[in-house]
Amino acid sequence: MESREHWSSRNAFILAAIGSAIGLGNIWRFPFKCYESGGGAFLIAYLIAMLSAGIPLMILELSFGHHFKLAAPSAFSKVNKKFEWIGWWAVFVAFMITTYYAVVMAWGLNYTVFATTQAWGQDTGAFFYGKFLNLTNGHFELGGIQLPILIALIVSWILIVGAIWKGAKTVSKVVYVTVFVPWLLLIVFVIRGITLPGAMEGLKFYVTPHFEKLLDPGIWISAYGQVFFSLSIGFGIMIAYASFLPKKSDIINSALIIALSDGATAFIGGFAVFGALGYYATMTGQVVTEVLKGGPGLAFVTYPAIINMLPLSKIFGILFFLMLLTLAVDSAFSLVESLASALRDKFGWGYKKSNFLIAGLAFMFGIIFTTGAGLYWLDVVDKWLEVFGLSMIVLVECIVLTWFFKIDHLRRYSNDYSEVKVGKWWNYVLKFYVPIAVFALVLTDAIKLIRDGYEGYPNSAIIFGWLLVIILPIIAIVISLIKRSVEEKEAEIYIPSKAFVKDIGYKRFNEYLKTVLISGLAIIILTLFSKFFSVLTVLVTPLITLYIFLALVGGAVYFAKISINEGNRREIWAEEVFEGKK
Ligand code: PHE
């Protein structure tokens, strides 16, 4: 049997996964959620969601993919034939998301061109909704295709297909650009953002904690939802990406580096956004709350208006939209690769066939989003897939893999390979805590949507959201019943005869958790004291900011350093354990 495609290096894998995770969600979703949900208090909820669910799930998906070395559907069918459909469901949701994610990318392309002449003029809102999108009055008034968007969509698809031309092999090269370029640009925008006059006004909104908001369950739901969306969990992506890992690869430390880098990027990105918003509010004599918008409004209306006011505005404009583009492209192709690898595993297709079929179909579906009613449809599809696709899949996946599969076997398997190891607590968190948390999340959102509707949209439009979430699992079941056209691939499970590092692996994780917990407690105590000694009050916000920064950025650096230091030891170990086997 030909051997499975592999990442060219560990760095390539980690960057690809980080690239998938870091996307538009970090730049426009995270800061907005943060403001909406209590500023610095939300950051704490976010950190807790990251540690209690995001990281355990990331470890779960990477372990699962590494263990069976198969894309999601085939991997689930190894657990039990009955479960294959769950994998298909995940990759179909991924596919549906690509159909509009590519359109947002296309807007970014259009705007990169507009930035050269600042074609958006002074009234950026009128330009975006009017001239550019030609937004109609409702879902069923399509108002024709916007040609520039359609052309940009074609270009976006060419870029996406180019980036995954030969699967992991091509992606291994592309990710050095699509991860480092946006990181660099983000740093530029953070520095620019926080040095603008009035920036402090904006930053205050970002980080000042409103602790009373932590009592509102809505905050926690936002925090967990944001963590899942941002980590690209529940789409079969991380399972597919981990399935391309060479046998000897580390699992758990990679999961930690990926998850913490994603959180760190979101947190740091917030400074760029809120600094600029503070500046804009100051210059236009408004309050920050008035200028703050989530979603496309932030990137395509508010930011262009801010760019207009900056010195060197043309350059900043081009760089900003280049940043959006490079942020989006690796998320977009990871979504495609999730389905593509599933088709290759089941039907033995080649890269060209799977890539072109997916790109062609997704492009065709995407055309609806290039019409004057596009934004309305995008909004419905996005909301319903997020709640009833993504979250439901995380829930089902978690239950199946912990209750119908030997979760402790998976834990020991991953620990054997990893520089950082997890204790038994991981089993219990995934078995009990995460399913309950996610269930609460889905239920609350579902009740809200059923009771209040969504954005005042008519039921005739909302029904499409429901149809979509019902149809996807049905198609998934049908396709799982189709006979595979290639001989069933054997899972190449290989248990190493000797674990890579021992107790120190547990110690590393525990030390990190202990530090985060103890300093978190210290901050809580200080906050309580500050109620009595008002001199302490000024300390609270900066300390929380520093704390979150260290927990995310410091954590990512700490674990990345371990991975660098262990390089040699890993080679020696792999040689002993795998002798001759790759
Ligand atoms: N994680 C990406 C973001 O934050 C979005 C995404 C979701 C990408 C799902 C792939 C899959 O924007």
Side-chain angles (χ1 to χ4, degrees), residues 89 93 224-225 228-229 233-235 383-397 435 438-439 441-443 445:
W89 184 21
V93 168
Y224 279 86
F228 298 148
F229 181 87
I233 277 173
F235 297 94
K383 181 72 193 174
W384 262 259
L385 286 181
E386 187 200 329
V387 181
F388 303 100
L390 166 70
S391 308
M392 289 281 275
I393 292 168
V394 171
L395 179 64
V396 173
E397 171 184 288
V438 182
F439 181 71
L441 194 145
V442 177
L443 194 69
D445 256 1

Side-chain angles (χ1 to χ4, degrees), residues 19-27 29 94 97 101 226 228-233 235 237 262 327 330-332 334-335 390:
S20 169
I22 298 178
L24 301 173
N26 299 56
I27 294 303
R29 221 166 168 271
I97 291 183
Y101 212 85
Q226 173 62 19
F228 298 148
F229 181 87
S230 191
L231 292 182
S232 309
I233 277 173
F235 297 94
I237 295 174
D262 178 60
L327 273 175
D330 39 13
S331 297
S334 71
L335 288 161
L390 166 70

Side-chain angles (χ1 to χ4, degrees), residues 137-155:
N137 293 315
H139 291 78
F140 298 100
E141 195 184 311
L142 288 184
I145 292 171
Q146 290 298 94
L147 203 59
I149 304 181
L150 189 75
I151 295 171
L153 184 60
I154 296 174
V155 179

